[in-house]
Amino acid sequence: MSTVYGHFINGERVAGTSGRTQTVYCPATGKASAEVALATTDEVNAAIDTAIAAAPGWAATNPQKRIRILMKWIALIGEHLDELAELLALEHGKTFDDAKGDVIRGVDVLEFALSAPHMLKGEFSDSVGTGIDTYSMRQPLGVVAGITPFNFPAMIPLWKAGPAIAAGNAFVLKPSERDPGVPLRLAELFMEAGGPKGVFTVVNGDKEAVDAVLNNDAIKAVGFVGSTAIAQYIYETAAKNGKRAQCFGGAKNHMIIMPDADLDQAADALVGAAYGSAGERCMAISVAVPVGQETADRLRDKLMERIPKLKVGHSLDPQADYGPVITPQAKERIHTLINEGVEAGADLLIDGRDKGANDAEFNGESLADGYYVAPTLFDNVTPEMSIYTEEIFGPVLCIMRAESYEEALALPNEHVYGNGVAIFTNSGAAARDFAQRVQVGMIGVNVPIPVPIAYHTFGGWKASGFGDLNQHGPDSFRFYTKTKTVTSRWLENAENVGASFVMPVMD
Ligand code: NAD
């Protein structure tokens, strides 16, 4: 193990000076692959100083010139796609193809951010009074930050960086300390594309680094994605410190399967959405809600046919459907929750505990110490069980049987989380009613993982999202800019009416 990740400050990689590091593991083998430096408060503040120095020049660069750099960045990420996906797969554990998707869904938002010249256009009203015009403009905030989770180490940093930078801000990223390799490469490629020094900064670290970002007065906005407890902490601390914040948290996503649905399609969709990326997606489906006992029995049988055929393997194994989970602690927590489900009386139809990967080795490397959890299926889960109340973030699917559509609809509506949800049905009326009444931010109709496309916005409700603007789409430009409105009168066009002491109103 020779890699030691530092930070990316003022246009280059720099070593950490804190003396504190954390080991990065390859989850597929359980072997250490690198060390990552954990920044001190002083290091974070010094990094932010370089962003402060860069911000005015970047804000003054016209938007079209800014997006030309983004265009080159997009091209370079495309040229390095395989390299980025391999690094991502090895540090995260997801499969190579899935890792490519992680990068590409991030690039989608960079492409959307090319609309900056249009998105930043203000509004103009002429003759709002005699000789008076009003216009508005969107200006960057200055220095803004992103704090991101382990599960999408390319996509989510790019979701934040793209609109923030295109809008003219200097952007400081604090990525997950568990898979820091890809964010550092993305920053390097930004420089290669012609990005100015200090416009994209990466500081690695843990709570100390996050708190340093939250307590630095120069940071005007914080975009966070991660678990709900931390999302809430960051939202409250940022708000207390006078910063704008949007903080996205955990999830428990339901799929309602109506009796008229195509059950083969629903079962295929469920298997991919529940077990893809080992269930470590905030939009993974973890609860299947078939309506009626007959639908439930038929769906269960179709799942029982499909799930044993899934292959769990090394991230670079092209045959693997999904890879390991992120850490031994994550694996342990998933096992604990499965045990609790059994103790609470749910029917464990397929038990993924202690099964490991399908193969003993891959490319000569043993998989025995990798953090594998085989697919797990519960039936007859009820609302008070911890496997239902908690986000498991692992390859565990719970079937909750509902007697009626209303009973099924009540489940996502009453759950503490409200990130994503899906309905599978052939009835337009049922789908429409569901979309109107469900209390969740993102809804799929016969679509299991309804992650909106880059030019729409992404955000959950309830404990899945704190703040009033979503990620990507038009909201991202609103989040990373402030509006200024100018009301102007040129005196030679207007009669001087002398001093007035009353509120100006229209005659
Ligand atoms: P996490 O909350 O542990 O970490 C997220 C970030 O917060 C990391 O950068 C981490 O260093 C930092 N952090 C961790 N503990 C902290 C503390 N005590 N104080 C300050 N900062 C701290 O989340 P994770 O395990 O990396 O990611 C998984 C979670 O993210 C899941 O709950 C998943 O649902 C959620 N997620 C949500 C979305 C969404 O859009 N809603 C998307 C992806 C992931």
Side-chain angles (χ1 to χ4, degrees):
M1 183 185 64
S2 56
T3 308
V4 183
Y5 293 124
H7 315 292
F8 195 88
I9 300 174
N10 213 22
E12 60 187 5
R13 286 193 192 236
V14 298
T17 57
S18 68
R20 277 199 317 130
T21 60
Q22 181 167 317
T23 306
V24 178
Y25 293 91
C26 169
T29 60
K31 287 191 189 138
S33 64
E35 288 290 313
V36 58
L38 304 174
T40 61
T41 304
D42 286 347
E43 282 178 291
V44 173
N45 287 339
I48 293 172
D49 283 345
T50 68
I52 295 171
W58 185 240
T61 304
N62 88 46
Q64 213 175 340
K65 285 193 178 156
R66 294 200 295 254
I67 65 161
R68 283 187 186 149
I69 294 173
L70 260 69
M71 284 162 79
K72 287 192 192 137
W73 194 22
I74 291 168
L76 283 169
I77 294 173
E79 283 168 30
H80 291 268
L81 182 60
D82 284 358
E83 171 214 322
L84 290 165
E86 183 171 327
L87 178 60
L88 197 159
L90 289 173
E91 289 188 359
H92 175 282
K94 64 179 72 177
T95 62
F96 178 72
D97 284 347
D98 199 25
K100 271 188 173 171
D102 190 327
V103 179
I104 291 167
R105 288 301 292 250
V107 170
D108 284 354
V109 173
L110 294 186
E111 288 174 353
F112 166 70
L114 300 179
S115 62
H118 173 71
M119 295 304 299
L120 298 174
K121 275 191 314 202
E123 294 172 322
F124 182 87
S125 298
D126 75 324
S127 302
V128 297
T130 308
I132 301 178
D133 304 323
T134 293
Y135 65 94
S136 64
M137 53 181 125
R138 288 200 164 272
Q139 294 191 323
L141 300 175
V143 185
V144 298
I147 301 167
T148 54
F150 81 86
N151 69 327
F152 283 100
M155 182 181 88
I156 296 179
L158 291 174
W159 282 10
K160 307 286 180 203
I165 291 174
N169 299 284
F171 177 71
V172 178
L173 174 69
K174 206 306 282 172
S176 172
E177 58 276 42
R178 297 183 203 150
D179 42 17
V182 168
L184 287 167
R185 277 298 285 140
L186 292 172
E188 238 164 19
L189 294 174
F190 177 73
M191 288 306 294
E192 229 178 276
K197 289 179 180 178
V199 168
F200 189 169
T201 299
V202 182
V203 281
N204 280 307
D206 54 9
K207 180 169 167 51
E208 180 172 351
V210 170
D211 285 342
V213 168
L214 294 176
N215 291 321
N216 189 304
D217 286 342
I219 301 286
K220 299 300 175 203
V222 179
F224 171 87
V225 179
S227 55
T228 286
I230 311 297
Q232 196 159 3
Y233 164 72
I234 288 179
Y235 187 66
E236 288 168 6
T237 313
K240 183 161 65 69
N241 291 346
K243 300 181 196 314
R244 207 176 266 199
Q246 55 170 207
C247 300
F248 298 94
K252 194 81 184 176
N253 306 315
H254 301 67
M255 186 202 278
I256 314 296
I257 301 100
M258 296 295 285
D260 67 350
D262 177 329
L263 288 190
D264 283 307
Q265 194 199 46
D268 286 338
L270 261 177
V271 168
Y275 302 113
S277 201
E280 290 177 324
R281 291 179 179 141
C282 68
M283 291 292 275
I285 295 285
S286 50
V287 185
V289 189
V291 174
Q293 294 300 337
E294 195 201 325
T295 315
D297 289 345
R298 287 174 53 219
L299 182 73
R300 175 202 57 206
D301 293 348
K302 288 182 187 296
L303 291 171
M304 297 284 287
E305 262 167 50
R306 286 164 171 78
I307 295 170
K309 293 181 190 148
L310 297 183
K311 179 166 181 191
V312 184
H314 191 287
S315 321
L316 301 184
D317 179 349
Q319 305 302 322
D321 292 301
Y322 73 85
V325 298
I326 185 73
T327 55
Q329 293 76 22
K331 176 176 171 168
E332 186 60 38
R333 183 174 171 275
I334 295 163
H335 279 199
T336 303
L337 280 159
I338 297 173
N339 295 342
E340 286 176 14
V342 173
E343 280 159 27
D347 295 332
L348 183 58
L349 300 183
I350 300 178
D351 183 359
R353 290 172 296 184
D354 302 321
K355 291 234 174 73
N358 289 49
D359 300 325
E361 59 174 44
F362 176 74
N363 274 354
E365 281 198 282
S366 167
L367 305 187
D369 294 329
Y371 318 138
Y372 296 96
V373 182
T376 298
L377 180 67
F378 277 110
D379 197 358
N380 292 308
V381 173
T382 52
E384 73 294 346
M385 294 178 182
S386 61
I387 47 171
Y388 179 64
T389 56
E390 302 243 341
E391 178 184 46
I392 302 176
F393 225 52
V396 180
L397 178 62
C398 296
I399 301 177
M400 295 188 71
R401 292 167 175 246
E403 290 304 333
S404 65
Y405 165 69
E406 290 297 331
E407 201 184 300
L409 176 64
L411 287 169
N413 281 358
E414 286 167 15
H415 205 284
V416 64
Y417 292 116
N419 210 40
V421 72
I423 186 167
F424 273 59
T425 180
N426 277 319
S427 158
R432 184 175 187 283
D433 184 81
F434 185 74
Q436 292 287 330
R437 290 168 63 205
V438 73
Q439 300 299 304
V440 172
M442 292 170 284
I443 296 145
V445 176
N446 299 315
V447 172
I449 304 191
V451 176
I453 198 71
Y455 35 97
H456 286 260
T457 71
F458 179 109
W461 286 11
K462 299 185 276 186
S464 298
F466 303 89
D468 55 3
L469 289 170
N470 280 350
Q471 308 188 82
H472 64 63
D475 271 9
S476 59
F477 279 97
R478 293 185 190 114
F479 183 71
Y480 286 120
T481 56
K482 56 195 171 195
T483 306
K484 188 180 262 178
T485 308
V486 180
T487 302
S488 73
R489 180 167 70 127
W490 294 96
L491 290 178
E492 61 265 33
N493 296 338
E495 187 190 337
N496 188 351
V497 292
S500 170
F501 301 95
V502 294
M503 189 68 188
V505 293
M506 198 59 60
D507 297 335

